[in-house]
Amino acid sequence: MKFTQFLKSKGATSSIFMGIFYAVCMLGIFLPGYTAIPKNIDQLSIAIVNDDAGQIGEQIEESLASQLPFDKIKTNLSNKEAMQALEDNKLALVIHIPTTFSSDLQKNAGPSSIDFTLNEAGATVVSSTMNQVISQINSQLQEQFSQQTAEGVLMNLNVPQEQAEELATKIEKSYVGNVVTINDVPDGMHNNMLPMFLTMALYVGAMIAAMQLVGAFRANRGKTTKTRLFIYVQLTAILVGILAGLVSAGIAVGINNLHGEQFIQIWGQQILNYWVCFNFTAIVVFLIGEAGMVLNIPILLVQTIANGATISRDMMYAPYEWASHISPMYYSVQAYFANLFGSTSASPYLIGLTVVGLVAMLLNIVIVWLLHKPVDLAESQEAETVIG
């Protein structure tokens, strides 16, 4: 056999196709998707809450609203409403100007401060970007207020040395930015990425299982009814989810130093994850057979951006944002952020994940009912007898 003849074989042509196809999919999906960083930072929503009884707070609010690089700046929320929206990751940052800000600044009654609150239990790009924004705002405000305080001090040049030193300290500390982090994520990239890794670990396994279990469904069609086979497939997926979920939860707890209650939460969600991801990825396999695995690869790659672990939904381009609404990975990742690090309820995301799984299973039932013709069991058994 010549090499050219070998290249024409099914295995060789398939490997050539998959090598090119995977490269095109990965680069064609990842590179455009990640151009949203930092390009779409302006799509994030923040809130400026001005409770200052004086005029300086109003001036700062107007200045920040006009200068900050965000298109969605909310100024009509109370501090309680803004903090709740921040907890739910509907806001990326809350800037709170307290009631006594003007009076503290004018009376030199200690440093005046503005509270900057961010939520770490969300997309990594958002929290890192907000930290940079806060640092820039604080630097500008500190310089501005130090200059204003200095101008007031220099109106009297004949001051004793001790008083001059005291005034110099007041100038330096006339303003202090108070950075508050809620839902602090422990140090280490393995903690930031844990929601995504937990989800992907079972998604990939479920995607492979979709090909294998649907193959088993097709291979055993003559041995029982397709309804019973479909139930067997679903039960097997749940069983694998229980086992894979147990192992993955144990590894996560061991490496990330989580406690026992979190182990139960992770295990339960991993079982749900596996069942949903199996039915989601099985749709194209039930529809077109093993070739469905080819389509499942770009679907997976799109979800690695659309899951919200790195980029928030507000920053995503339209195709990825649309995908996030039907993506098992998005709902799973957000539920993990809420359960593991957040203080908001994970229920909306778990409900969304369940709905995606139920819709996917119903689609699989329709595909099996319409496209997979029933096999005569009597004829199949006779054929097996003859062959035997």
Side-chain angles (χ1 to χ4, degrees):
M1 178 186 246
K2 296 182 179 179
F3 180 59
T4 53
Q5 292 176 311
F6 178 78
L7 285 177
K8 294 178 182 179
S9 65
K10 183 178 179 180
T13 55
S14 297
S15 65
I16 293 171
F17 170 78
M18 287 303 298
I20 298 172
F21 178 77
Y22 188 79
V24 170
C25 285
M26 188 163 187
L27 295 177
I29 291 171
F30 277 12
L31 294 183
Y34 282 114
T35 59
I37 309 171
K39 185 178 179 181
N40 285 357
I41 290 295
D42 59 348
Q43 298 302 309
L44 294 174
S45 298
I46 72 167
I48 302 176
V49 181
N50 178 25
D51 288 334
D52 186 16
Q55 296 181 345
I56 299 177
E58 185 176 348
Q59 295 172 0
I60 293 174
E61 178 188 342
E62 293 176 355
S63 176
L64 291 176
S66 62
Q67 294 181 21
L68 287 175
F70 303 108
D71 295 337
K72 304 172 184 177
I73 300 179
K74 300 182 179 182
T75 58
N76 58 346
L77 300 177
S78 67
N79 194 48
K80 183 178 180 181
E81 291 171 335
M83 292 301 295
Q84 184 58 55
L86 184 67
E87 287 275 6
D88 297 335
N89 279 318
K90 295 178 181 178
L91 292 175
L93 175 67
V94 173
I95 302 174
H96 179 226
I97 305 172
T99 306
T100 59
F101 183 80
S102 291
S103 60
D104 289 345
L105 193 65
Q106 291 167 344
K107 297 176 182 177
N108 288 326
S112 301
S113 64
I114 294 176
D115 296 329
F116 299 86
T117 309
L118 55 92
N119 185 1
E120 282 201 350
T124 54
V125 167
V126 173
S127 58
S128 62
T129 300
M130 290 305 108
N131 273 309
Q132 294 175 12
V133 169
I134 292 169
S135 178
Q136 292 174 1
I137 294 174
N138 278 331
S139 295
Q140 292 175 1
L141 290 176
Q142 190 167 18
E143 182 180 352
Q144 177 183 344
F145 289 124
S146 294
Q147 183 179 359
Q148 291 175 355
T149 306
E151 289 175 354
V153 170
L154 292 176
M155 291 178 65
N156 182 3
L157 297 177
N158 299 317
V159 292
Q161 183 177 356
E162 293 182 2
Q163 187 178 354
E165 291 177 355
E166 181 181 349
L167 291 173
T169 302
K170 285 186 177 181
I171 291 172
E172 184 180 354
K173 297 182 178 180
S174 59
Y175 167 78
V176 175
N178 183 29
V179 181
V180 180
T181 300
I182 62 172
N183 302 327
D184 188 36
V185 177
D187 292 336
M189 199 65 181
H190 62 298
N191 288 309
N192 291 93
M193 301 306 293
L194 180 60
M196 180 175 173
F197 289 161
L198 279 169
T199 301
M200 285 195 69
L202 264 65
Y203 188 100
V204 175
M207 184 174 70
I208 296 172
M211 182 179 67
Q212 296 170 329
L213 288 178
V214 173
F217 172 88
R218 293 174 183 272
N220 291 285
R221 284 285 307 282
K223 298 179 181 178
T224 187
T225 65
K226 63 179 182 180
T227 300
R228 181 172 291 185
L229 276 175
F230 186 83
I231 293 173
Y232 290 168
V233 165
Q234 294 295 320
L235 291 175
T236 304
I238 293 172
L239 175 61
V240 177
I242 292 172
L243 298 175
L246 177 64
V247 173
S248 58
I251 293 173
V253 169
I255 294 178
N256 292 71
N257 297 318
L258 305 176
H259 53 74
E261 183 181 346
Q262 289 175 309
F263 171 81
I264 299 300
Q265 292 174 343
I266 293 173
W267 187 15
Q269 185 175 327
Q270 288 292 74
I271 296 171
L272 178 61
N273 281 347
Y274 193 92
W275 174 78
V276 174
C277 293
F278 167 78
N279 278 285
F280 186 81
T281 56
I283 293 173
V284 290
V285 184
F286 271 121
L287 195 60
I288 60 176
E290 292 184 3
M293 282 296 294
V294 177
L295 290 179
N296 271 327
I297 290 174
I299 293 172
L300 167 64
L301 296 178
V302 167
Q303 288 183 85
T304 58
I305 295 177
N307 64 37
T310 304
I311 306 176
S312 70
R313 184 181 271 175
D314 291 337
M315 293 177 62
M316 297 175 192
Y317 292 119
Y320 303 93
E321 194 269 334
W322 296 336
S324 70
H325 291 283
I326 61 170
S327 163
M329 289 183 67
Y330 176 83
Y331 294 109
S332 174
V333 167
Q334 301 310 311
Y336 274 131
F337 271 126
N339 266 336
L340 297 177
F341 308 119
S343 54
T344 189
S345 174
S347 298
Y349 302 113
L350 293 175
I351 291 172
L353 183 63
T354 304
V355 169
V356 170
L358 289 173
V359 172
M361 187 180 69
L362 288 174
L363 286 174
N364 286 326
I365 291 172
V366 171
I367 292 170
V368 168
W369 179 50
L370 293 178
L371 300 183
H372 294 257
K373 296 180 180 179
V375 175
D376 191 309
L377 299 182
E379 292 182 2
S380 176
Q381 291 172 356
E382 289 178 5
E384 287 183 0
T385 303
V386 172
I387 293 173

